[in-house]
């Protein structure tokens, strides 16, 4: 099979969140048996520069009234796996991926329209044939449509499209005027197609025109067809539910395993679990916290957004800090929520640290140091941190939603099965009770190490998830042969 994977970010080249992790790992793992090309914008990151990709094509594209040059650079990662970067200095040679401190770049629609058109145009110009084109999120959601419209339709006639929604909260909604830039037939700007209450909604294109629609966990696939989780698209998603399913993301254990993590103070594994404590002691001392080796440390590593449930912290933490517990938050994002977290850290300097940064190495150190990982997301398509937490013996306490519900099994003290703790709803007293229960079990060394061991033994490797993707790709292709 020949697969084209399109994404606006991919590790190690550019990352702002889980999409980057997935787009880095899945193509690589699929390439163990299939031919895979990853295409992404050529941002100005060190990692893309270091990739030393070579120019394979240069052409110009009309977007709206303007003409823009596309420079396609390619590098081979392995015999079956190549990466193509779509370069255009005007659109992509910036410090951010989607925006800067002032917010999202105002021309994001044009930037990613250019990326999508340039990627498909390159494929057409070079006569490359793909069985599957796999797009992700709104930045590549026009692809399933563009490849069915002239002048690309003939070239992609034998290609099937798969589209993954990583987060329904981000739909790529732009003023109606943006539609003109697409040069798509005017009938497509209608409520049945891309119009959404007078605006242009990019995600609708991926939902309507893809041959198969995916989300990143089975639970999230069920949730998004419901009104309270559908972000206004539940009706549309319900209409296409027959082609919608969920595959839980894998994690890249070559990056996230305390056994050979180069960023942590003390490496450890299931067999040397007590050594984990040295990471906590090191973090306490690095951050000037007075905690001891037996003091529980709860961590949170998160984008700061309403989605991640950070709004609960100002009510929860003052109550929680009545217990003997330390809390370290690593995250960046929304300004006013950031201020609330900073205020809290200021109020509880003996108990809490707020590390307002995006720092991969620090994320590893926190995972290694923590006893508990808190993830109170209001919704969570998959979530990766809780899965990393499992492998690091950092026991997740999560809201039972989406991928959090799918990946964490409630610990049962009678059977000793389970990997973490879950709560439902928004009631602070309920959340507090669940954390207090975890802290009570933390005092019992044998029970606690059992919970940690249960989590560390779990296998969420990409190899498993990739097998589900391959089955799905093969099914689409075989269905088509029957239809011919
Ligand atoms: P989302 O994609 O919604 O942000 P996920 O849990 O799926 O959430 O993925 C988040 C990824 O981003 C994880 O790899 C996590 O470690 C990383 N991450 C989030 N915030 C930070 C941060 N401030 N510093 C370093 N890594 C972060």
């Amino acid at each position: 099979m020949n697969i084209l994977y399109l994404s606006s970010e991919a590790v190690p080249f550019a990352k702002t969140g889980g999409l980057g992790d997935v787009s880095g790992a899945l193509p690589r793992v699929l390439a163990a048996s299939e031919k895979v090309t990853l295409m992404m914008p050529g941002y100005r990151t060190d990692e893309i520069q270091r990739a030393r990709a070579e120019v394979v094509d240069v052409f110009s594209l009309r977007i709206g009234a303007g003409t823009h040059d596309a420079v396609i650079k390619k590098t081979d990662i392995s015999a079956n796996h190549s990466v193509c970067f779509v370069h255009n200095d005007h659109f992509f040679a910036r410090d951010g991926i989607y925006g800067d401190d002032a917010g999202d770049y105002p021309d994001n629609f044009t930037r990613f329209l250019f990326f999508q058109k340039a990627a498909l145009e390159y494929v057409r110009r070079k006569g490359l044939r793909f069985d599957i084109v796999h797009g992700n999120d709104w930045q590549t959601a026009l692809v399933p449509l563009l490849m069915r419209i002239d002048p690309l339709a003939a070239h992609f006639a034998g290609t099937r499209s798969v589209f993954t929604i990583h987060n329904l909260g981000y739909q790529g909604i732009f003023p109606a005027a943006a539609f003109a830039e697409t040069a798509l037939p005017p009938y497509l700007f209608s409520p049945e197609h891309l119009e959404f209450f007078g605006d242009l909604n990019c995600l609708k294109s991926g939902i309507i025109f893809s041959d198969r629609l995916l989300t990143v966990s089975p639970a999230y696939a069920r949730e998004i067809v419901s009104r309270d989780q559908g972000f206004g698209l539940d009706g549309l998603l319900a209409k296409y539910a027959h082609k919608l399913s969920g595959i839980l993301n894998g994690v890249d254990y070559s990056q996230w395993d305390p056994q050979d993590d180069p960023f942590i103070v003390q490496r450890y594994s299931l067999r040397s679990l007590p050594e984990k404590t040295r990471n906590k002691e090191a973090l306490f001392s690095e951050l000037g916290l007075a905690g001891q080796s037996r003091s529980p440390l709860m961590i949170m590593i998160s984008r700061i957004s309403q989605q991640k449930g950070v709004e609960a912290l100002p009510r929860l933490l003052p109550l929680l800090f009545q217990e003997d517990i330390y809390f370290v938050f690593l995250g960046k994002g929304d300004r006013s929520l950031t201020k609330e977290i900073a205020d809290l850290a200021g109020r509880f300097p003996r108990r809490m640290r707020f590390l307002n940064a995006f720092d991969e190495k620090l994320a590893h150190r926190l995972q290694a140091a923590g006893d508990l990982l808190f993830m109170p997301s209001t919704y969570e398509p998959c979530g990766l941190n809780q899965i990393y937490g499992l492998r690091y013996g950092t026991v997740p306490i999560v809201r039972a939603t989406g991928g959090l519900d799918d990946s964490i099994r409630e610990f049962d003290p009678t059977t000793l099965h389970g990997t973490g703790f879950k709560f439902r709803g928004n009631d602070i007293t309920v959340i507090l009770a669940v954390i207090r229960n975890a802290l009570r079990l933390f005092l019992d060394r044998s029970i606690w190490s059992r919970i940690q061991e249960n989590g560390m033994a779990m296998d969420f490797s990409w190899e498993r998830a990739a097998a589900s993707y391959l089955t799905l790709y093969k099914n689409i292709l075989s269905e088509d042969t029957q239809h011919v």
Side-chain angles (χ1 to χ4, degrees), residues 283-310:
L283 190 78
F284 277 152
S285 102
E286 177 185 340
L287 300 179
L289 285 167
Q292 307 292 310
S293 56
R294 287 299 298 152
S295 315
L297 169 64
M298 186 160 92
I299 60 157
M300 194 163 163
I301 303 168
S302 179
R303 270 189 297 119
I304 299 178
S305 76
Q306 198 265 334
Q307 180 209 335
K308 298 295 180 180
V310 285

Side-chain angles (χ1 to χ4, degrees), residues 15 17-18 21 256 301-303 308 330-332 357-360 363 375 380 383-385 388:
K15 164 174 164 177
D21 287 327
W256 293 95
I301 303 168
S302 179
R303 270 189 297 119
K308 298 295 180 180
L330 169 64
K332 262 188 95 112
F358 190 95
D359 185 330
E360 284 267 348
M375 228 165 142
E380 193 57 79
L384 293 172
N385 277 311
Y388 302 150

Side-chain angles (χ1 to χ4, degrees), residues 41 64 68 73 79 88 96 103 138 146 148 193 205 233 244 251 259 270 278 326 338 369 379 396 413 423 429 454 456:
H68 302 273
K73 292 188 183 177
N88 171 291
W138 76 262
L146 291 170
R148 297 287 172 243
H193 298 110
S205 162
L233 291 181
L244 169 67
V251 303
Q259 207 167 329
L270 249 179
R278 286 196 44 205
Y326 293 84
T338 298
Y379 71 94
F423 56 87
T429 52
N454 290 347
M456 292 174 88

Side-chain angles (χ1 to χ4, degrees), residues 48-64:
I48 290 180
Q49 248 144 49
R50 270 203 293 272
R52 295 189 183 281
E54 285 177 12
V55 176
V56 286
D57 203 4
V58 182
F59 53 90
S60 52
L61 266 186
R62 278 196 77 77
I63 301 283

